[in-house]
Amino acid sequence: MSLSGVISALFPCLRVSLTALAGLMLVLVTSCAGGSVGRSLEKSLQADPQLQNQAPSGQAQTPVVSPPSAASTDKDMVMGPVPPADWGHPSSSSTPAPSASPSWLASVPEDLKPYLRDWLALGLEGTSNAAFQPNQSITRGQYAEWLLLANNRFFGDQAAKRLRSAGTDSKPAFQDVSPTHPDYGAIQGLAEAGIIPSALSGNSTAVNFRPDAPLTRETLVLWKVPLDTRSPLPTATVEAVKTGWGFQDAGQIDPFALRAVLADRQAGDFANILRAFGYTTLFQPKKAVTQAEAAAALWRFGSQTEGISAQELLKR
């Protein structure tokens, strides 16, 4: 009798599943072991090699997942790029700004650190320097470039407040700054706008600019304050500056810069002098300005009641 005949004879009215049928056949094989019927059934139940890897009908086949290779490491699981440890200059790539602070930040005065972080995030340290050196003095040429770049970045949507960099076809305002100088566009542009004193603004003694000389405190204020007030500087006296600021050395301030120093006092807590140099009773007008102090001064433009800071600009 055939295998199908045996099953039909035993279960004439029962429809069994493939799993139950397999179980029944195993029982028959066991009970008939050693007999001819058992050997026939055993031979009949041998799996078809072509069906060994197939799942039963109606059931999902479980995929076999290979274990990770020995070459795989944890770094392969990192989501996104890993930021560099130092970020002295913003990267031009699309890599997100790293959260780590530059190594030199520890040596910068604590009050200046927030200003520097915002300043570097805006990428306003200019193009003439190979590296940003916050504790080193800034030159007059560098500051001129920073001043023009910062003003135009802060007022990018206000054409009436933007400054124009001069072209190489302009007649130089200073004998020692030719059109080939890397900061010529900024220096000449500020002179033509009347921000930097020159023969163009009626200062006949300003023949040379001295772009590589260190920027002094009084010069920083002299060039910056007109871009804060957007109005002519007031008449000032040494006594007025002493009263307003309490500077013991007010008499050492250049008369031309004295007006800007007094006008800066009108900005209240937003004064450039307070932001860059902190509270002091000695202005030390001829002292060299560091790059960190210059960045702090340029961190904000505006008066006491109206202005914009680098922090606000970054949120736009």
Side-chain angles (χ1 to χ4, degrees):
M1 179 181 294
S2 65
L3 176 61
S4 58
V6 173
I7 296 174
S8 298
L10 293 175
F11 305 98
C13 300
L14 180 63
R15 296 179 62 185
V16 295
S17 66
L18 181 60
T19 303
L21 180 60
L24 173 62
M25 291 180 178
L26 289 174
V27 173
L28 290 175
V29 170
T30 303
S31 62
C32 300
S36 60
V37 175
R39 288 191 296 271
S40 299
L41 287 174
E42 185 177 359
K43 182 177 181 181
S44 300
L45 293 175
Q46 289 181 352
D48 187 340
Q50 297 180 356
L51 301 177
Q52 287 181 353
N53 296 327
Q54 294 184 5
S57 175
Q59 298 183 13
Q61 183 175 352
T62 303
V64 178
V65 180
S66 301
S69 65
S72 298
T73 62
D74 290 341
K75 69 180 181 179
D76 297 325
M77 303 299 291
V78 176
M79 300 301 292
V82 179
D86 193 287
W87 59 292
H89 291 277
S91 173
S92 59
S93 67
S94 59
T95 303
S99 58
S101 298
S103 58
W104 48 253
L105 198 60
S107 63
V108 174
E110 195 66 31
D111 290 345
L112 294 179
K113 291 180 181 179
Y115 304 129
L116 286 182
R117 290 190 181 98
D118 292 342
W119 179 259
L120 292 179
L122 288 174
L124 293 175
E125 66 271 28
T127 59
S128 60
N129 288 333
F132 182 65
Q133 299 175 305
N135 296 316
Q136 298 298 316
S137 61
I138 185 171
T139 67
R140 290 164 56 89
Q142 287 173 312
Y143 183 67
E145 183 187 22
W146 286 21
L147 182 61
L148 187 141
L149 286 174
N151 178 85
N152 290 351
R153 178 69 179 276
F154 277 66
F155 300 105
D157 57 349
Q158 301 181 49
K161 293 185 177 182
R162 289 176 59 82
L163 295 167
R164 292 184 180 179
S165 179
T168 56
D169 56 343
S170 299
K171 181 180 179 181
F174 303 100
Q175 296 179 0
D176 58 348
V177 182
S178 68
T180 60
H181 193 280
D183 298 324
Y184 174 79
I187 295 171
Q188 182 72 17
L190 290 171
E192 292 182 356
I195 304 301
I196 293 178
S198 69
L200 298 176
S201 58
N203 191 334
S204 58
T205 61
V207 178
N208 293 318
F209 180 75
R210 297 178 295 115
D212 298 325
L215 179 76
T216 62
R217 289 184 170 187
E218 62 182 6
T219 303
L220 177 149
V221 178
L222 176 61
W223 297 355
K224 172 65 164 44
V225 170
L227 297 177
D228 291 321
T229 63
R230 304 285 168 169
S231 62
L233 295 176
T235 302
T237 63
V238 172
E239 289 303 320
V241 171
K242 282 184 177 180
T243 301
W245 281 106
F247 292 150
Q248 302 175 42
D249 54 355
Q252 300 177 20
I253 301 174
D254 184 271
F256 204 68
L258 204 63
R259 302 176 303 154
V261 173
L262 181 61
D264 194 39
R265 175 72 276 187
Q266 298 173 2
D269 291 341
F270 294 120
N272 297 285
I273 292 174
L274 293 178
R275 194 163 55 250
F277 313 124
Y279 173 76
T280 178
T281 63
L282 290 174
F283 182 50
Q284 301 181 78
K286 306 302 190 286
K287 184 177 180 179
V289 176
T290 68
Q291 293 184 20
E293 292 169 339
L298 298 176
W299 182 84
R300 185 182 185 274
F301 284 78
S303 63
Q304 183 177 17
T305 58
E306 183 180 0
I308 180 174
S309 68
Q311 184 180 52
E312 295 168 332
L313 189 61
L314 287 170
K315 295 178 179 179
R316 290 184 175 181

